[in-house]
């Protein structure tokens, strides 16, 4: 298949390019490089021996989207492009709604004009809001809510796609709800390279381990969880990438709009992840306990059975693999793609 990958230079996008090449697909990327480096595509080429065509442009720029869609015929779109930082979305709501929602509306409009209707969307477990413990593990039918503008953009885009599919049966939308993507390609050539101080746990841990940050603060040790620290469903980014390849294989057979969790199906606590990471680096990781982070849920993990049933996909890599690969990447690239 020839796939248009928006946001393909980013963290999940670049890993998905490698998995899609392994499956024999052809790739064009549309990315404005607002949160990524084209160096990631040099790394894709090193691993895959193939280099995606990169169009540097914005999904909300109709003339760019139109010229990409006029230039080639696409079988499917994987739509990663968007802003993703929860805290930043509270400070800059307009930018989040504009980039994520308005940008995607332009993209969808041009896709329907060009007759491209196989669409795989990066949704998020954020659409489950702060889940009620009785709903765990979360099925796709669990109640949805948004706790911040970022979450609202995912929820609204899902709603828009559900309505578009109901109105036009030619659409095939797969809403892939990712849980907590972490880790890196096993080669150590590609990984997560956040700008500024990381908000998320794993890049914070790896930057402490490499000496860029002093110590990890574990946000809360008094949650109603087995060890008191927050529980999440961490998923290795290469498993996630393979989930997209599985989705590509099935999207044409799944008309309408289908939400699918991409998670491992099991919960891991912050303290457990830190212990796995300490095993990977062979030394203690400097950390202390601090107060809970406002808005955090005690526990959030997927029921991953729908992905297995519909896509024939499940995760293969565990927390030790995630920590080993995240550390391999960070230790070989202490400053990420900068100065590469
Ligand atoms: P990322 O920031 O590394 O990748 C996003 C890419 O999109 C970047 O390369 C960025 O330059 C590009 N981009 C942003 N706005 C754009 C625009 N208007 N036009 C063109 N390109 C644009 O993020 P990621 O972690 O790879 O996430 C990919 C997608 O998955 C996002 O939609 C994110 O919301 C979603 N998601 C991520 C996580 C996570 O924890 N990483 C979890 C759930 C869902
Ligand atoms: C994980 C756990 C923290 C940092 C976010 C988004 C979600 C999705 C994935 C995009 C929690 C704890 C963290 C630290 C810590 N992204 N933690 N110290 O909050 O589960 O999910 O990323 O869609 O929408 O909300 O991920 O990595 O920030 O936190 O103790 O310095 O680690 O409290 O229990 P989260 P996270």
């Amino acid at each position: 298949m020839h796939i248009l990958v928006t946001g393909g230079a980013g963290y999940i996008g670049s890993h998905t390019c490698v998995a899609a090449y392994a499956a024999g697909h052809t790739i064009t990327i549309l990315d404005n490089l607002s949160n990524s480096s084209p160096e990631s595509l040099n790394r894709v080429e090193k691993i895959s021996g193939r280099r995606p065509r990169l169009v540097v442009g914005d999904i909300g720029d109709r003339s760019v989207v139109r010229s990409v869609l006029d230039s080639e015929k696409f079988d499917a779109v994987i739509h990663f492009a968007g802003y993703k930082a929860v805290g930043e979305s509270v400070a800059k709501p307009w930018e989040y709604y504009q980039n994520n929602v308005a940008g995607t509306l332009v993209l969808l409009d041009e896709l329907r004009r060009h007759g491209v209707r196989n669409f795989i969307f990066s949704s998020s477990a954020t659409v489950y809001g702060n889940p009620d413990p009785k709903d765990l593990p979360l099925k796709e039918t669990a109640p949805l809510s948004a706790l911040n503008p970022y979450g609202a953009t995912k929820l609204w885009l899902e709603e828009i796609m559900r309505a578009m599919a109901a109105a036009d049966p030619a659409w095939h939308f797969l809403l892939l709800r990712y849980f907590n993507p972490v880790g890196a390609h096993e080669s150590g050539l590609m990984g997560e390279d956040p700008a500024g101080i990381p908000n998320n746990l794993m890049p914070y841990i790896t930057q402490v381990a490499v000496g860029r940050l002093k110590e990890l603060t574990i946000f809360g040790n008094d949650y109603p969880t087995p060890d008191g620290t927050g529980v999440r469903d961490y998923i290795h980014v290469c498993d996630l990438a393979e989930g997209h390849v599985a989705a590509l294989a099935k999207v044409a057979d799944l008309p309408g709009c289908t939400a699918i969790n991409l998670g491992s199906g099991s919960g891991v606590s912050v303290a457990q992840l830190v212990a796995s990471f300490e095993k990977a680096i062979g030394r203690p990781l400097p950390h202390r306990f601090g107060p809970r982070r406002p808005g955090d849920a005690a526990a959030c993990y997927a029921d991953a059975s729908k992905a297995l049933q519909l896509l024939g996909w499940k995760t293969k890599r565990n927390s030790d693999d995630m920590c080993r690969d995240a550390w391999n990447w960070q230790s070989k690239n202490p400053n990420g793609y900068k100065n590469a």
Side-chain angles (χ1 to χ4, degrees):
M1 291 168 93
H2 189 174
I3 319 152
L4 176 63
V5 181
T6 74
Y11 171 47
I12 303 170
S14 55
H15 288 80
T16 299
C17 288
V18 168
Y21 275 143
H25 298 302
T26 300
I27 301 166
T28 296
I29 290 176
L30 174 62
D31 197 309
N32 64 7
L33 304 179
S34 58
N35 195 40
S36 54
S37 158
E39 177 60 23
S40 65
L41 304 182
N42 295 338
R43 309 294 176 96
V44 169
E45 188 176 14
K46 259 194 186 155
I47 295 167
S48 305
R50 293 177 70 189
R51 190 183 181 83
R53 170 179 165 227
L54 169 66
V55 178
V56 179
D58 198 292
I59 54 161
D61 182 338
R62 190 177 288 275
S63 61
V64 172
V65 177
R66 192 173 284 168
S67 75
V68 172
L69 295 175
D70 283 342
S71 68
E72 316 228 26
K73 190 188 164 308
F74 293 97
D75 302 297
V77 178
I78 307 181
H79 179 38
F80 294 111
Y83 297 154
K84 62 164 180 176
V86 169
E88 185 183 61
S89 81
V90 177
K92 296 181 173 175
W94 186 87
E95 283 76 5
Y96 271 68
Y97 291 122
Q98 172 65 32
N99 194 54
N100 294 8
V101 181
T104 301
L105 288 177
V106 171
L107 175 67
L108 289 171
D109 190 29
E110 284 304 316
L111 288 172
R112 64 180 178 176
R113 288 166 192 266
H114 286 80
V116 182
R117 287 195 176 77
N118 291 328
F119 193 85
I120 296 171
F121 175 54
S122 295
S123 190
S124 165
T126 191
V127 299
Y128 297 115
N130 204 328
D132 189 326
K134 77 169 172 36
D135 292 324
L136 295 172
L138 290 161
K139 283 188 177 299
E140 289 78 356
T141 48
L144 304 180
S145 68
L147 300 179
N148 49 65
Y150 168 70
T153 68
K154 294 296 181 192
L155 201 54
W156 293 6
L157 285 169
E158 283 202 357
E159 196 52 48
I160 289 165
M161 289 174 211
R162 267 189 287 277
M164 287 176 70
D168 176 357
W171 279 106
H172 295 221
F173 288 111
L174 298 185
L175 314 175
L176 302 185
R177 296 178 179 158
Y178 317 153
F179 279 68
N180 288 60
V182 297
H185 190 265
E186 62 181 8
S187 63
L189 286 167
M190 285 192 328
E192 190 169 9
D193 182 22
I197 296 183
N199 303 301
N200 295 116
L201 178 61
M202 185 64 98
Y204 205 102
I205 288 178
T206 60
Q207 291 195 16
V208 169
V210 84
R212 281 170 66 178
L213 295 168
K214 196 168 139 275
E215 64 178 359
L216 171 73
T217 302
I218 296 181
F219 298 142
N221 60 353
D222 57 351
Y223 283 109
T225 58
D227 63 24
T229 66
V231 166
R232 295 291 182 274
D233 187 336
Y234 297 96
I235 170 171
H236 193 296
V237 68
C238 293
D239 277 329
L240 186 58
E242 289 162 13
H244 289 78
V245 174
L248 282 171
K250 290 287 157 66
V251 63
D253 303 331
L254 294 168
C257 187
T258 312
I260 304 176
N261 289 337
L262 295 188
S264 71
S266 48
V268 168
S269 74
V270 178
Q272 285 173 320
L273 198 73
V274 168
S276 280
F277 195 82
E278 290 179 328
K279 195 161 92 183
I281 61 175
R283 59 186 157 91
L285 183 87
H287 66 273
R288 66 181 179 90
F289 292 103
R292 294 181 181 191
R293 184 171 64 180
D296 270 0
C300 178
Y301 49 95
D303 178 325
S305 55
K306 192 173 175 187
L308 183 59
Q309 184 206 332
L310 291 185
L311 307 179
W313 169 92
K314 63 178 173 139
T315 59
K316 297 181 200 145
R317 299 160 178 93
N318 63 22
S319 310
D320 288 345
D321 301 323
M322 299 173 203
C323 292
R324 180 200 61 221
D325 293 340
W327 176 237
N328 187 33
W329 151 253
Q330 189 75 81
S331 54
K332 287 182 174 157
N333 305 268
N335 295 309
Y337 293 118
K338 286 170 268 313
N339 317 320

